[in-house]
DNA sequence: CATCCTGGTGTCAAGGTTTACATCCGCCGC
DNA sequence: GCGGCGGATGTAAACCTTGACACCAGGATG
């Protein structure tokens, strides 16, 4: 047994005294080959330690066993568990997960399409909210895609994510139950569909309680800094809310920081809520009350759908929305009595 | 231009009125082909939008353009930036990054070797601290490898990481400068070489100040829970330290939590330090004074070395140790005056 | 007894690329 | 005028696998 070069199907065939076609069949369509032959082949495979050369296989089949995930930032605490879910599911099906990191630069995404063009990816998972395309090149042939974390603009691909609207609504209901009547939404954005949906859920929740009027909505870009800045802008006005419903946890962290810096206590003076339940959320002080995304589950479901698509089966729904859990920690309290501004 | 199927080298050759060999040469050995021909080929490539089929290429060359990274947990906040560094560097060199997630299970790693066996990975990045091997199978041919985050036991592969010893020593020096004389090291471990090295740096720092005697060393497994448990055990004794030097940030978080739960104030009553500077570190209260790993840099350097290895060039050093930065926040203070136990 | 069918197996082409080798052509030096 | 050389290009094999097709033997059917 020379180990200089890995065993090929031919080595197995020689050892089992059959043709290479029979070996291939023994592996992929066992019922088509006689039991005795199958046994010989299996033994030969064990002896040689044969593993099919994936390159040759993909070349022949015209389809690779890689799934490409394109994310703006792999380090985003929201993405990691989704990636794990994706990866687990992919591996179970014999696929590998290739990662692409665009650093928020749309053009970077285009670079990864090379992998697709080069037949190196059977499918695409998009965290970006848009399909990477090069304006100069003619539209490339796109493989099966599934969007995750952020839906695609025109519903161009199935989306798997959390029920943003329902989650936001739950959050508002909690605040209302605590007596809050003036609640500011921090993080309105036209760019991110998921954030927009949270805003809608917020509106719905207020409307359901007959509080539609007098709400405050602050633009913010979803970063800690954005949250902080929004609070500063808000304090320039005279009608302050008693609670801040933030579009995500980063924003909430910024809001808490700004409030604390001004000498207020959360939740005694103001209540603050987040969304996503990033790992830091529990370490903020006060620990953040937020909405937990079932991230692992999202990854798993998305990969299931994508692999189905690769096999040619259409998904049941255009959007698979998972219901998030409300995680109550200590950043929400009853509305302060007799406070006036 | 039919877009049903991607352009092959043959399409380009036909359009440029040359043979496919010439096209291949024009791409890979431009100096070997006449300038006029090169021009024709370039034009034909642009028109057809040709991208070489990576599968066919890898098959022919017997080498893929993928690097496989095996990590116990992709979600580990310490790993993400390293992955980004790896990925950036790989992409720049035309390689893709494949991720494997072992979930801490050594056997899982073995599964990923299939990729290697199947010629799907030209190199391996190991976050695990060991080479995945199947005890039943004969040792597989291993590709070039580089260890990251955790060195390999027998120095089986080049390691790129932070100077654990130097970092730990810096930390101890800071504590000593603040007047601390009794410092406990929390997180001693025989399993993780990196943790062991931090322990050594700790010892060295104390020895340099003539404080070798009377030190306390607590075992802990590097988790938040481990840190908490270590504090509880320590409080069973009578000689408490004034500062806790923790092996990593998770442990430090546990220590702070335990101390706070007992009604102590950090840093007034006790000082606590971490190691790694995970994203949560700044959000703990008090914000954690710790050692920042240049993670992105680690990833980049590791990939550089690995790609060199793939090309057949040996690395300069068996270990590349990057010096970490000391990040001073608010979990360290002067030793409490007149405290007695 | 001829024919058809069927289950089991072998042969061979194809998939796209790279590269060793062959070919061709113009030009130099003798 | 000719041998030879070198630069530019073409030809074809090889990388490994899969699957359409062909083949063969033997049993069932007429």
């Amino acid at each position: 047994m020379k180990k200089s070069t890995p065993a090929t199907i031919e080595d197995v065939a020689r050892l089992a005294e059959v043709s290479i076609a029979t070996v291939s069949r023994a592996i992929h369509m066992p019922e088509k080959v006689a039991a005795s032959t199958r046994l010989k082949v299996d033994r030969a495979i064990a002896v040689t330690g044969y593993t099919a050369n994936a390159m040759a296989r993909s070349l022949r089949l015209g389809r690779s066993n890689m799934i490409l995930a394109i994310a703006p930032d792999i380090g985003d605490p929201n993405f990691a568990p989704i990636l794990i879910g994706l990866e687990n599911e992919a591996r179970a099906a014999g696929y590998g997960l290739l990662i692409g990191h665009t650093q928020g630069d749309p053009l970077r995404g285009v670079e990864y399409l090379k992998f697709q063009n080069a037949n190196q990816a059977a499918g695409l998972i998009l965290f970006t909210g848009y399909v990477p395309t090069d304006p100069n090149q003619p539209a490339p042939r796109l493989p099966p895609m599934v969007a995750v974390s952020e839906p695609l603009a025109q519903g161009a691909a199935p989306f798997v994510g959390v029920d943003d609207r329902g989650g936001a609504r739950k959050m508002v209901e909690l605040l209302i139950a605590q007596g809050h009547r003036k609640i500011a939404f921090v993080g309105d954005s036209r760019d991110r569909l998921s954030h927009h949906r949270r805003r809608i859920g917020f509106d719905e929740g207020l409307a359901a309680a007959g509080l539609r009027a007098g709400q405050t909505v602050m633009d913010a870009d979803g970063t800690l800094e954005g949250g902080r800045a929004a609070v500063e802008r808000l304090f320039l006005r005279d009608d302050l809310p008693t609670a801040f419903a933030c579009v995500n946890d980063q924003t909430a962290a910024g809001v808490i920081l700004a409030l604390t810096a001004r000498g207020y206590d959360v939740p005694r003076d103001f209540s603050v809520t987040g969304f996503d339940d990033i790992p830091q959320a529990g370490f903020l002080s006060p620990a953040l009350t937020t909405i937990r995304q079932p991230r692992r589950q999202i990854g798993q479901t998305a990969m299931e759908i994508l692999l189905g698509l690769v096999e040619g089966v259409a998904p049941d729904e255009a959007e698979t929305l998972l219901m998030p859990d409300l995680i109550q920690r200590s950043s929400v309290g009853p509305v302060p009595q007799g406070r006036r501004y």
Side-chain angles (χ1 to χ4, degrees), chain A residues 60-148:
Chain A
R60 182 67 235 267
L61 261 31
R63 160 150 68 88
S64 91
N65 64 148
M66 295 283 143
I67 298 295
L68 174 60
I70 300 187
D73 177 9
I74 326 172
D76 188 320
N78 272 311
F79 294 170
I82 297 185
L83 284 171
I84 294 177
L86 289 170
E87 208 272 339
N88 276 343
E89 193 69 16
R91 187 173 32 70
Y95 283 78
L97 185 66
L98 204 55
I99 58 173
H101 177 88
T102 66
Q103 228 131 272
D105 176 1
L107 285 184
R108 274 284 183 83
V110 177
E111 279 189 48
Y112 293 104
L113 285 186
K114 278 191 316 201
F115 282 113
Q116 155 52 21
N117 274 342
N119 263 344
Q120 290 205 95
L124 224 50
I125 295 277
L126 294 172
F127 284 74
T128 47
Y130 54 84
V131 182
T133 43
D134 187 340
N136 305 328
Q137 294 291 61
R141 304 165 313 112
L142 286 170
M145 301 182 294
V146 171
V148 126

Side-chain angles (χ1 to χ4, degrees), chain A residues 299-313:
Chain A
Q300 186 176 328
T301 307
M303 186 56 76
E304 271 169 18
I305 293 179
L306 182 58
L307 293 181
L309 239 31
V310 168
E311 306 288 335
V313 334

Side-chain angles (χ1 to χ4, degrees), chain A residues 3-51:
Chain A
K3 16 188 50 186
S4 58
T5 164
T8 74
I9 198 171
E10 201 162 348
D11 301 331
V12 176
R14 199 168 21 241
L15 194 62
E17 298 173 304
V18 296
S19 75
I20 56 171
T22 301
V23 175
S24 178
R25 271 189 295 256
I27 297 171
H28 301 291
M29 333 148 85
E31 73 286 357
K32 288 276 187 185
V33 13
S36 59
T37 314
R38 212 182 313 151
L39 198 68
K40 280 196 297 181
V41 171
D42 287 348
R43 237 174 340 231
I45 289 180
V47 171
T48 54
Y50 169 72
T51 318

